[in-house]
Each structure stands twice: as C-alpha cells, then as structure tokens.
Amino acid sequence: MVKLEDISLVSIGIPFHNAERYLSYAILSVLNQTYKEWELILIDDGSTDNSLKIANEYSEKDSRIRVISDSENKKLPARLNQLIVESKGSYIARMDADDIMHPERLDKQLCFLESNKNYDLVSTGLISIDNFNIVKGFRGVSHIYNEFSTIKLGYPIVHPSVIARKAWYERNEYSESYPRAEDFELWTRSIVNSDFKMAVIPDLLLFYREEGNLCIDKIINSYNDTLRIYDKYHSKNSFNINVLKLKLKLLIAKTLHFSGNLQKLASRRNTTFTQKELIDFQVVLDNITNVD
C-alpha cells in the first residue's frame, strides 16, 4: 500500500489567457483535492480580462498558490516549459484553465506512479461537460493502455490529465513550433527517442469542457499541426489510412461549422453514461462548483 504522505510535493500548473469565466472553478477543484501536498502555479499568458485579478485573489488566501505574470502572450507550449522550470515538486500535473479536476485525481494518479516505477507519465479518461457545468458523456480506455512502441496519428491521451515525473519533463520539453498540437509532437518525439513510458488508466478524473466551447479555427489549426508532425516523424514510403481518416474528420468539422452544428462534434466523440453514473458525476461536479 502506497503511503501518499511520503510522496514529494506535486506541482500543478495552470497556464491561463482570458479565462475569467472558468478559472475559479479550476482553482476550486485543486483546493478540493483529497491529496493536499501540492503547489499550484498559475501562469498568466498576457490576459486582458479579470483572470489575473482572480488568480491573485486566490494566491492571497492560500500560500500554496503562486502566480506568475510578465504581461506577455507567449502561447501554451512556452508556458508549459516555464512550468517545468518553476515547479518545485517531484511530479508535475497538467491542467487547463477551463477544466475541473475530480477530487481524487491527484490521489489516484500519484498512487499509480508510486506503485509502478516503470512508468514516467500517467493519463486518465475524461468526463465531458458543457459551458454550464453540465455532465454530457465520457471518453476513456477500458483497461490500462500502454502500447506506445510505434508512432500513431492519435494516442488515447488526455493532455490536461497528464501527471509526469519532473525528471522526465526535464529531459523532454515542449516544442514551440506546433502551438496547437504541442502534446502530440512531444509524445511522438519521445517515442522516437525511446523515452515514453506512459500509461493511460481507465479512471475518469478530469471534467473536460467541450460542448459550447469548440472553435473551428482551433480545430483546423490542431489538425493541420498534427499532420505536419506526423509527416515529420513517420516514414513517407507507406500509405496510411489514418491520414485520410484525420482529413475526413477535418472535413466533417468544417461541414458542421458551416451548418451551425459545430458544437455537436463534442457529443459525437463521447460515450453515454448510465443514468446513475450521470447523476453521480454531476453531484461531484456540483459540490466543487456550487460555492457561495
């Protein structure tokens, strides 16, 4: 049995840019973690709304919360590399400013890494939510997935759910050349370098904001960056059906956008909960977000 009190500090990093609508929910979900030995690093990426003010208000109330701001807009990959440098913990936990952690996220992922020293990173499944904090569905694996020996166009990794050993991140920084697919580039490059000991566990430990939040420009840029990365690392001598599948997904996204149905793309990706599961996860989410 792993004694979590013996685990070193975990550094949680949330880069944010104009996230005033959701940032408080993200921070509250960290405060509600069952595991308490953490530091929260809030990195402002040149916000022009009230995000920085919100971040500072929380840091004034809890000494574990630290705010970094230089008034510049350097984009996510640069901020993630900054997090690696600034972090004091032995582990680094990713999170986006509009997502919400399940209360047991840190406990369960740290237990996994402490019990499985052969892995450097662990990701989880996600619970899809909309802009009004309503649970919609989920995506995840049915069993532990660790088959990363070859380059693929899609990995079942939820980037903002990843927790990794800091030592791994110090060997593997993010590339700033692919701002809409920096995670895919990092996973692919690490696989090529034989330094990607990742496990994806079935647990649903991240409330991931999708429906009502999809943007066609971001989707197009993400798919295009993904194709560029795949072309860079994968052999060009063989036909790959997955390239055509990704291009088809891009075409579907554009069609849904022009027909005014882009937000339905989120529901197409997800698996439906049973009624009991839906209620149970909604209760967990409401306990985090319903604050006076």
Side-chain angles (χ1 to χ4, degrees):
M1 182 70 179
V2 176
K3 294 182 179 180
L4 285 179
E5 63 268 22
D6 295 334
I7 295 178
S8 300
L9 184 75
V10 56
S11 298
I12 305 163
I14 305 180
F16 62 90
H17 174 74
N18 292 344
E20 64 179 1
R21 182 175 178 183
Y22 305 116
L23 184 58
S24 287
Y25 295 139
I27 297 172
L28 286 170
S29 74
V30 176
L31 293 171
N32 276 278
Q33 289 297 295
T34 54
Y35 182 70
K36 303 297 183 182
E37 296 302 314
W38 49 260
E39 65 165 349
L40 174 58
I41 304 173
L42 301 171
I43 305 180
D44 177 38
D45 192 36
S47 296
T48 56
D49 63 358
N50 289 318
S51 299
L52 182 57
K53 178 183 177 182
I54 293 169
N56 284 328
E57 287 174 351
Y58 278 99
S59 69
E60 291 170 1
K61 298 175 184 176
D62 195 314
S63 61
R64 294 172 296 177
I65 301 176
R66 179 157 47 110
V67 178
I68 298 174
S69 178
D70 55 20
S71 301
E72 296 183 40
N73 181 227
K74 296 181 177 180
K75 306 302 181 185
L76 181 59
R79 296 307 184 182
L80 294 177
N81 286 332
Q82 185 177 6
L83 167 63
I84 297 168
V85 174
E86 293 285 349
S87 62
K88 299 176 182 178
S90 298
Y91 294 94
I92 296 177
R94 273 279 292 113
M95 187 181 178
D96 288 332
D98 57 352
D99 296 332
I100 297 170
M101 286 187 183
H102 187 285
E104 296 179 349
R105 178 192 171 188
L106 295 182
D107 253 326
K108 290 188 175 182
Q109 288 184 266
L110 290 173
C111 271
F112 180 87
L113 287 172
E114 282 296 299
S115 300
N116 298 274
K117 301 289 188 178
N118 53 314
Y119 291 110
D120 290 321
L121 311 91
V122 60
S123 175
T124 78
L126 63 85
I127 305 119
S128 180
I129 62 175
D130 68 10
N131 279 350
F132 302 99
N133 295 329
I134 302 299
V135 172
K136 293 295 184 176
F138 73 96
R139 295 200 299 278
V141 296
S142 59
H143 58 276
I144 293 176
Y145 182 96
N146 60 5
E147 180 45 57
F148 297 103
S149 59
T150 58
I151 298 173
K152 300 178 181 178
L153 247 181
Y155 308 114
I157 303 169
V158 180
H159 187 205
S161 80
V162 168
I163 293 182
R165 303 182 196 278
K166 180 176 180 177
W168 183 86
Y169 267 127
E170 289 175 328
R171 299 193 305 271
N172 300 280
E173 292 188 343
Y174 289 90
S175 168
E176 297 181 25
S177 299
Y178 306 94
R180 290 304 308 168
E182 75 288 334
D183 52 337
F184 179 72
E185 195 281 335
L186 178 57
W187 314 148
T188 302
R189 172 164 37 93
S190 301
I191 290 171
V192 170
N193 294 335
S194 301
D195 192 15
F196 195 59
K197 299 174 182 177
M198 158 75 83
V200 182
I201 58 177
D203 306 64
L204 306 177
L205 298 177
L206 185 77
F207 293 95
Y208 186 75
R209 199 174 302 280
E210 291 187 291
E211 189 173 322
N213 205 38
L214 297 178
C215 172
I216 190 60
D217 289 339
K218 290 181 179 179
I219 291 173
I220 291 172
N221 290 335
S222 177
Y223 283 164
N224 286 338
D225 270 3
T226 298
L227 288 169
R228 287 171 55 213
I229 294 162
Y230 189 73
D231 184 62
K232 175 181 178 180
Y233 289 105
H234 190 266
S235 171
K236 300 176 181 61
N237 297 323
S238 59
F239 171 77
N240 195 308
I241 189 65
N242 290 316
V243 172
L244 291 180
K245 287 182 179 179
L246 187 59
K247 291 181 177 179
L248 178 60
K249 288 181 180 179
L250 180 55
L251 179 60
I252 291 172
K254 290 179 178 178
T255 302
L256 289 172
H257 168 68
F258 287 119
S259 64
N261 294 304
L262 181 63
Q263 302 308 319
K264 292 183 179 180
L265 186 61
S267 60
R268 289 170 60 97
R269 299 169 174 172
N270 296 325
T271 302
T272 304
F273 281 119
T274 66
Q275 188 62 23
K276 183 181 185 306
E277 290 171 332
L278 187 69
I279 292 172
D280 288 345
F281 277 113
Q282 189 66 60
V283 168
V284 171
L285 183 59
D286 289 346
N287 286 339
I288 297 169
T289 59
N290 290 344
V291 178
D292 294 333

